[in-house]
Amino acid sequence: MISDWYGSDLLELTLNTTKLMLQQSDNMQTKVIKTEKQYLEALARLEDIFDSKKNSKNADELELLSFLIEKYENEQYAIDFPDPIEAIKFRMEQLGYKQKDLAQAIGLKSRVSEILNRKRKLTIDMIRKLNATLGIPTDVLIKEY
């Protein structure tokens, strides 16, 4: 969920913004999305008003629909953190890193091999270094595997 990634403060801010926008909308027919049918209708409406001019009534509805759709998607289609080892491998591939490149950050090449083959657990120090070197969030790296 979004609150897991960004904290409950962002979720609360989003909900407060949504409530404020609902109060400001005079005759918008936008409602909280509770069903798949409402979700599909909201997506269709969003597509209709997507190119609305800034500061128009449709622009306000567009922003509100975006918040409501995001809230529904986060609740219904929550994406969990990836596996830490798979995240490391993926990021290494993106950056064109080899095991020897990672060894400079966390120790011996053999240690990197043990970690990537799941024979050794990541330590707090390794997690910090991987976060700094690869830019992988610590929340991903601390997950059990």
Side-chain angles (χ1 to χ4, degrees), residues 82-100:
D83 174 80
I85 303 305
E86 293 306 315
I88 293 169
K89 289 177 180 178
F90 178 74
R91 191 68 176 133
M92 286 174 64
E93 183 180 323
Q94 283 183 320
L95 297 172
Y97 280 18
K98 304 285 183 217
Q99 286 188 16
K100 67 178 181 175

Side-chain angles (χ1 to χ4, degrees), residues 36-140:
E36 186 72 16
K37 181 181 178 202
Q38 291 173 329
Y39 171 68
L40 295 174
E41 289 170 355
L43 286 175
R45 177 65 181 151
L46 183 75
E47 189 173 326
D48 288 344
I49 62 174
F50 190 76
D51 294 321
S52 298
K53 300 283 186 219
K54 202 172 190 176
N55 298 323
S56 70
K57 180 182 170 191
N58 282 347
D60 289 342
E61 183 181 3
L62 175 71
E63 189 172 358
L64 177 58
L65 269 176
S66 298
F67 282 124
L68 294 172
I69 290 169
E70 180 181 17
K71 179 183 180 298
Y72 182 83
E73 288 174 344
N74 288 335
E75 290 173 356
Q76 299 300 315
Y77 309 111
I79 299 173
D80 198 15
F81 289 128
D83 174 80
I85 303 305
E86 293 306 315
I88 293 169
K89 289 177 180 178
F90 178 74
R91 191 68 176 133
M92 286 174 64
E93 183 180 323
Q94 283 183 320
L95 297 172
Y97 280 18
K98 304 285 183 217
Q99 286 188 16
K100 67 178 181 175
D101 300 315
L102 206 54
Q104 294 174 354
I106 61 172
L108 304 171
K109 188 176 173 185
S110 60
R111 182 164 295 146
V112 173
S113 179
E114 290 172 346
I115 289 167
L116 295 178
N117 289 312
R118 301 173 188 270
K119 294 179 181 177
R120 179 184 289 267
K121 296 284 185 185
L122 292 168
T123 66
I124 298 290
D125 190 47
M126 288 178 194
I127 289 170
R128 286 184 184 125
K129 289 177 180 176
L130 287 168
N131 171 259
T133 304
L134 299 178
I136 300 172
T138 55
D139 288 347
V140 170

Side-chain angles (χ1 to χ4, degrees), residues 25-43:
S25 62
D26 298 349
N27 44 10
M28 268 191 251
Q29 298 300 316
T30 307
K31 297 178 183 176
V32 175
I33 301 170
K34 296 179 182 175
T35 66
E36 186 72 16
K37 181 181 178 202
Q38 291 173 329
Y39 171 68
L40 295 174
E41 289 170 355
L43 286 175

